[in-house]
Amino acid sequence: MRILIVNTLYPPEIIGGAEVSVSLLAQALSRNHHQVSVVSLHDAQRTSVSDLKGVRVYRLQIDNDYWPFGQDRKPSRLQRLKWHLRDTWNRKAAKRFAEILDIEKPDVVHTNNLTGFSVALWSEARRRNIRIVHTLRDYSLLCKRSTLFRNGATCERRCTSCAAMTASSRLASRLVDAVTSNSQYVLDRHQRLGYFSEIPDRVIFNIADTSALAPAAAPSDEDLTFGFIGRIEAEKGIDVVLKATELLPDTGWQLKIAGRGLESDVREFKARHPSDRVKWLGFAKSQDFYAGIDVCLISSVWPEPLPRTLIEGISAGRATICSTAGGIPEISRFSNLIGMYQPSDHRELAGLMLKGIDEAARWKKSLPPRPDFAEKFTPETITREYLEMYSADS
């Protein structure tokens, strides 16, 4: 089968959960003897073509006013508005994509995050009668911030500007033949608003290579060691975690924080919540991080579709405390779960952390994940499920 996958970014560009998941899928499909190409964007003024681990990768220039990823300076409000308006239906991007369709002649186009491309790409595939499967990995078709999160809370109702600027996405979703999502929560949020109605749908998890995260012995410290890993920003719930630690006793615990964020944000968090029991690790390899903690805190306050850190924590045999945001509850049941709490409720989180401290011997035990958990994230399982959706008989 000839498969053309589209995602805004592709390694070694900015690495996030979507980029990792898309690249693992592309490579797995290629190993299964399918002809796989990927189309992505890069911050350059020419198209580049390369082969990466058996996958042909096209990197196109962005047809908009500026490169929006990894910038230190935030564009003006007017610049951002202009950028988003063009991104509602980007004809230039669609034209570039059409040229690749005519070169590759795929049997199926599998789109993922389309920020910078726009949903105009679907019209070119439809014009050529190519099957279109779309995977929902965030909320960019509903929300121009891609998060459904504003002023510290999940947007239960969309603001007027987002509804207006995403109207074309809702209408264009009729061009898609099948839709998948990495969580039921994300799929439901779209379908309740009229997206992807009356077409086949399915929840397909991400491939997760957790072979390096085999359960290891718990840390030898007598203290119960909590761990947070991820980007240091409010949406990930780091402020909630730090507030919760202020309600804990002076002994019996420590917290290790791994990850990076804007330097100004990290300085502010440290200044607001000083504690000798909180260790700021900066960047840390996943294997080293999980080997050094007892309890993994999955603390997102935005409706995260499916945090890779939870998959890794379970695979590493660590106990968890999880917020109920987004798709987190859909896999938290597979973990050695101390409990769940409402996002942003630092008091409820503190209560669960106290429970962990009081029963430290119980939660320090490293437990291997259930066999049925690991199987849900293997390349074999995920590629089989996607190939079923690529088929016109699905």
Side-chain angles (χ1 to χ4, degrees), residues 11 134 149 157 165 199 241 356 385:
H134 182 71
F149 187 83
R157 296 182 62 184
M165 285 194 289
I199 64 172
V241 169
E385 291 177 346

Side-chain angles (χ1 to χ4, degrees), residues 92-108:
K92 286 186 177 180
K95 183 178 179 181
R96 292 186 194 278
F97 180 64
E99 293 172 357
I100 297 173
L101 288 177
D102 293 337
I103 294 170
E104 292 294 328
K105 295 181 171 54
D107 299 304
V108 61

